[in-house]
Amino acid sequence: MTLYDKANLSLVGVTLQAPNIYSLQLGWSELAMGALVVMLLVLLGVLLSLYRRVAAIRNSIQGGFDNRIRRQLSQLNGRQLDTVLQHKKQGGQKRGTLAASGKAVLLMMALLAGLPAWAQPDGAVSGIAWGSAGIVITLVLILIPVLCGLVLMVVKIRRTLTRYQRRQHSALADEFAQYLDGLTKKEELDQLTSRKSALDYQLTNTELAGDGDVHDRRGLVASASSDLNLPIAAPKKRAVRRPNIDSNLAKLVLWYIGTSAFWLLFGTTVGQYLGIKFLAPDADQLSWLSFGRLRPVHTNAVFWGWASLGMLGLGYYIVPRVSNTSIANLRHGWLSLILINATVVLGTVSLMAGINNGGGEYREYIWPVMLPFAVALVLTLTNFLKTIARRKTTEIYISNWYMISAIIFTIVIALVAYLPFWQNGLGEIIVQGYYMHQGVGMWFMLFTLGIVYYFLPQQLNKPIYSYSLGILAFWTQILFYTLIGTHHFIFSAIPWWLQTVAIVGSAGMAIPVVAGTTNFLMTFKGAWYKVKDSYTLPFFLAGIIFYFTGSMQGTAEAFRYTNLIWHFTDFTVAHSHLTMYGIISFLLWGSIYAVVPRLTGQEPPQLTVGAHFWFSLIGLMFYTVPLMYGSSLRGLMWMDGKPFIDSVVLMAPYWLWRAIGGTLMWLSHLLFAYNLYKMYSTDKQSNIVEEALEKLTGNDAQVTQTK
């Protein structure tokens, strides 16, 4: 069967070349078609439900003033008429001007255009093995956030429509009440009395209607005096300030978070420029700005600048609090902060100058540049261990388990990566796989999970669901994650048994991932209602979902068949952003938004916090999903022996989506920096009440002393 079919399609006199498509096995085609039909039917039902809700709102406000009044009059009962008559007998005061009814925009839904299949090249390509375990797992993982997003979208739309409908009803009721209040003619009041008598007689159940005119223009519908405008964002609960936080420690934590935010902006600005260079490769001619130099600048800045500083700053807050003691040595904390920032500054300059380690991804810094970072880790480890050793609690909370282990593993990883004893031939390749994957899993992931074990129960105001599940996830991650580095080099010259061990370890990672995800989600049990009132919990929830989907996607990539398709394509780029960004960054943002208001007493603007969340989430989806789809097609082309340049042409539209998604993500970082600025700002005028109370109590104290 021909896998590529050509056909000429004519549309309004213009001849178009039909896209070439991959053929599917018949059974999977029917299954996919059936699933598509079911999804379309569900979508049709949802749209019908929303249409009925919108139609109900439209019917309630259409027809002009007179028609709206008539509709309201038909719903009067005797009690309401009696209230109106009593009001008129008392002379009723005129109501104020009718508040302007809400003119809000209900919804704005972004329409994501279908990804262009016409970028596929000509020729025969072998069909994809849809029954492969890796493919099935990946499809399931992609569907999970998509379905969750659809459900969330429908719920949000219905709630928005309901709120808008209530406000419209309130506005109409206010309009009707003002109209009634303005009626003073005697004949109209007589009609009110007649209407009430008729309705009272009807309520005796002996006669359904009287001889009088039952159609009246009087009544009372409770009106709302609240704001009738549809709010852009629902108000959230404010953080609780903890007065017993050491001010010196708070200053240290804020500096860690502030510098990490700077490196996030810097690193992702470089990444934004790199995304643009995919579409405009000749944007510049400077060697310092070449893709090969800027790409490691981007990755290392967000790794060692943003994520590492953010994690350590939160660690300096958590370790003494769960140990119920003060930090052992604040000066070492400041020294570590300076050393890590010096590492990123020197590393950035050296990379842009063309000075690099050349030993593999994420270890492009030469060893003299990376040495201050290692010293900072040793100082931090010693600081944390001393703090835990003098704790005033019996147990060592699980957050300390994760964070201390992460630092220990990272010191070992750095030694393995930079010591030259085994950096020859295949040994260097094995070390590179070990370093690259352990850096992600045993530094960033392990440390961030420790942070979540503190802040998630704190924000939900309930204990973690299961301490035992946390310990299970901890030890199984140490067991399996340390084995999986070489799954990046499947089908290489590395011994086959070592590749197999990495694949088995990757499959075993399902245990800690499922245990950790279950533990976090079950902690939400009985407290899901708190999500809508919090501006931190949505970040945690998104990070937990990405923790499951992104980690299990890594397992799916480790299988030999899927590795053959996806390796060396942009699929790995999408996967790294799904994990490092979707997991680490979202969880760090949630934690930062939780802790900074407690340290400064200043809340972030809730509107820009919400914009930060949605820009980053939507941008991540625009970034990763097109890259995964296009890279799958690209891998199949390579397997079929197609020219490399054809795969470059194929990826052009998906790189455009990458740039669009990256732009949204970058904009969200600007909003994050603005939110930090507002939380760090100490405007005296924002505490007028507190200042007045201080003056009042001060005057009272002076009066007492005088007496």
Side-chain angles (χ1 to χ4, degrees):
M1 179 179 179
T2 303
L3 299 180
Y4 286 97
D5 296 324
K6 292 183 178 179
N8 289 328
L9 301 179
S10 179
L11 178 62
V12 197
V14 179
T15 301
L16 302 175
Q17 186 71 22
N20 300 314
I21 57 173
Y22 294 106
S23 66
L24 304 176
Q25 297 178 1
L26 183 59
W28 283 101
S29 298
E30 294 175 346
L31 180 60
M33 183 60 67
L36 180 61
V37 171
V38 172
M39 292 182 65
L40 289 176
L41 290 176
V42 173
L43 181 60
L44 181 62
V46 171
L47 292 177
L48 180 60
S49 174
L50 295 178
Y51 172 78
R52 293 179 60 185
R53 181 64 64 87
V54 173
I57 297 175
R58 185 179 66 250
N59 292 334
S60 66
I61 62 178
Q62 69 179 1
F65 178 79
D66 292 339
N67 289 333
R68 291 197 296 268
I69 295 299
R70 291 192 187 97
R71 281 197 299 269
Q72 298 300 327
L73 288 172
S74 65
Q75 301 176 9
L76 293 174
N77 57 39
R79 180 186 57 81
Q80 294 168 337
L81 286 170
D82 185 60
T83 302
V84 174
L85 291 172
Q86 291 295 330
H87 175 74
K88 289 297 181 180
K89 289 179 180 179
Q90 295 173 2
Q93 298 179 355
K94 294 289 184 181
R95 292 172 52 88
T97 304
L98 178 63
S101 61
K103 300 286 185 181
V105 177
L106 293 180
L107 299 170
M108 183 172 292
M109 302 176 61
L111 180 61
L112 175 60
L115 295 175
W118 52 84
Q120 301 173 15
D122 300 339
V125 178
S126 57
I128 187 170
W130 292 94
S132 170
I135 295 293
V136 173
I137 292 175
T138 300
L139 292 176
V140 171
L141 293 175
I142 292 175
L143 284 176
I144 289 175
V146 171
L147 293 177
C148 291
L150 288 175
V151 172
L152 179 62
M153 180 186 70
V154 172
V155 172
K156 288 291 185 181
I157 291 174
R158 288 183 61 86
R159 287 181 177 175
T160 302
L161 290 175
T162 300
R163 289 195 298 267
Y164 180 74
Q165 188 177 29
R166 289 174 180 172
R167 283 166 174 78
Q168 285 296 328
H169 288 176
S170 177
L172 293 174
D174 199 46
E175 175 189 60
F176 185 49
Q178 182 180 357
Y179 170 78
L180 290 175
D181 198 46
L183 296 177
T184 57
K185 295 182 180 180
K186 183 177 183 303
E187 58 271 18
E188 292 173 339
L189 296 177
D190 291 341
Q191 289 179 356
L192 279 175
T193 305
S194 177
R195 171 68 171 169
K196 180 182 181 303
S197 300
L199 289 177
D200 288 343
Y201 182 73
Q202 184 181 26
L203 293 175
T204 62
N205 295 323
T206 59
E207 185 174 349
L208 295 178
D211 296 333
D213 184 8
V214 297
H215 299 288
D216 205 337
R217 301 178 64 85
R218 300 297 181 273
L220 180 64
V221 179
S223 61
S225 59
S226 60
D227 183 14
L228 300 177
N229 295 321
L230 182 65
I232 298 177
K236 308 296 182 180
K237 291 183 177 179
R238 301 176 65 86
V240 179
R241 181 169 173 81
R242 298 291 181 88
N244 58 336
I245 297 176
D246 182 7
S247 60
N248 294 322
L249 178 62
K251 185 177 180 180
L252 175 64
V253 173
L254 291 175
W255 267 94
Y256 268 96
I257 295 174
T259 53
S260 71
F262 168 80
W263 290 116
L264 174 66
L265 276 181
F266 172 79
T268 54
T269 300
V270 174
Q272 171 71 3
Y273 184 64
L274 293 174
I276 294 174
K277 294 192 75 169
F278 269 94
L279 305 176
D282 297 329
D284 64 76
Q285 303 296 328
L286 300 176
S287 60
W288 281 52
L289 299 180
S290 63
F291 187 91
R293 296 189 184 183
L294 286 184
R295 202 270 177 174
V297 169
H298 161 66
T299 55
N300 285 275
V302 295
F303 267 44
W304 315 123
W306 151 240
S308 297
L309 283 171
M311 293 188 312
L312 289 173
L314 294 170
Y316 270 100
Y317 176 83
I318 295 172
V319 171
R321 292 202 65 79
V322 297
S323 302
N324 197 22
T325 187
S326 60
I327 195 70
N329 195 321
L330 270 176
R331 292 168 56 186
H332 284 179
W334 286 105
L335 181 58
S336 298
L337 174 68
I338 295 171
L339 290 174
I340 295 176
N341 279 284
T343 293
V344 185
V345 171
L346 295 174
T348 298
V349 174
S350 64
L351 289 178
M352 295 184 71
I355 305 171
N356 59 76
N357 184 45
E361 195 172 20
Y362 307 146
R363 58 170 176 164
E364 291 89 354
Y365 288 173
I366 58 176
W367 73 263
V369 171
M370 202 64 179
L371 183 60
F373 185 87
V375 174
L377 286 185
V378 173
L379 289 175
T380 302
L381 176 63
T382 304
N383 213 354
F384 285 0
L385 287 175
K386 288 182 178 179
T387 303
I388 296 172
R390 63 190 218 181
R391 69 189 183 278
K392 297 179 181 179
T393 58
T394 304
E395 73 284 349
I396 299 177
Y397 186 62
I398 192 171
S399 291
N400 287 345
W401 285 49
Y402 275 87
M403 291 186 291
I404 292 295
S405 299
I407 300 175
I408 294 174
F409 269 103
T410 305
I411 294 173
V412 174
I413 293 165
L415 290 175
V416 171
Y418 280 91
L419 290 179
F421 310 134
W422 37 72
Q423 302 291 332
N424 295 314
L426 288 179
E428 183 179 8
I429 303 302
I430 296 173
V431 166
Q432 170 59 26
Y434 172 80
Y435 167 82
M436 177 171 53
H437 228 82
Q438 304 318 300
V440 174
M442 304 307 291
W443 171 232
F444 297 108
M445 192 68 69
L446 205 63
F447 203 109
T448 303
L449 290 175
I451 293 173
V452 176
Y453 271 103
Y454 175 81
F455 279 109
L456 182 62
Q458 180 206 65
Q459 293 299 292
L460 291 173
N461 196 27
K462 58 181 301 189
I464 197 71
Y465 173 72
S466 172
Y467 205 87
S468 299
L469 275 179
I471 300 300
L472 172 65
F474 174 80
W475 287 112
T476 51
Q477 177 152 342
I478 291 176
L479 172 64
F480 291 114
Y481 213 110
T482 51
L483 304 176
I484 67 177
T486 51
H487 78 202
H488 284 272
F489 303 105
I490 303 297
F491 300 111
S492 69
I494 293 176
W496 192 260
W497 66 267
L498 188 55
Q499 300 177 35
T500 303
V501 167
I503 296 173
V504 172
S506 301
M509 276 301 298
I511 298 176
V513 170
V514 172
T517 304
T518 301
N519 208 7
F520 295 145
L521 292 181
M522 290 302 292
T523 305
F524 276 92
K525 184 179 180 181
W528 286 103
Y529 67 93
K530 295 183 179 181
V531 176
K532 66 182 179 62
D533 294 327
S534 171
Y535 55 78
T536 61
L537 290 177
F539 286 96
F540 285 109
L541 186 58
I544 292 168
I545 294 174
F546 283 124
Y547 172 56
F548 177 77
T549 55
S551 300
M552 295 304 295
Q553 184 190 66
T555 297
E557 286 184 77
F559 293 105
R560 286 191 169 92
Y561 178 78
T562 50
N563 196 281
L564 192 62
I565 298 175
W566 291 328
H567 201 207
F568 299 118
T569 71
D570 289 72
F571 196 99
T572 57
V573 177
H575 170 66
S576 64
H577 283 77
L578 202 64
T579 51
M580 280 301 299
Y581 193 87
I583 304 174
I584 306 302
S585 292
F586 271 82
L587 294 177
L588 287 182
W589 285 326
S591 303
I592 289 172
Y593 282 130
V595 71
V596 174
R598 296 173 181 267
L599 301 178
T600 65
Q602 304 294 329
E603 295 283 336
Q606 295 183 3
L607 180 61
T608 50
V609 172
H612 169 206
F613 174 80
W614 287 111
F615 274 30
S616 57
L617 180 61
I618 296 173
L620 181 60
M621 292 294 96
F622 281 9
Y623 189 105
T624 55
V625 174
L627 283 185
M628 289 189 289
Y629 178 76
S631 298
S632 298
L633 301 180
R634 192 182 199 188
L636 290 175
M637 290 179 64
W638 290 354
M639 291 173 62
D640 201 58
K642 298 301 173 184
F644 177 79
I645 192 62
D646 289 352
S647 69
V648 175
V649 175
L650 167 80
M651 289 300 297
Y654 307 108
W655 286 334
L656 174 60
W657 279 111
R658 168 183 177 151
I660 294 172
T663 300
L664 291 175
M665 295 155 69
W666 179 69
L667 290 175
S668 76
H669 304 159
L670 296 179
L671 292 171
F672 171 62
Y674 173 75
N675 293 334
L676 270 186
Y677 166 75
K678 297 297 288 184
M679 289 188 288
Y680 278 40
S681 176
T682 55
D683 185 3
K684 297 298 184 181
Q685 294 181 356
S686 62
N687 293 317
I688 294 177
V689 175
E690 293 294 334
E691 185 176 349
L693 291 176
E694 290 178 2
K695 291 181 178 180
L696 183 63
T697 55
N699 292 336
D700 292 342
Q702 293 178 0
V703 171
T704 302
Q705 292 177 0
T706 302
K707 292 180 177 180

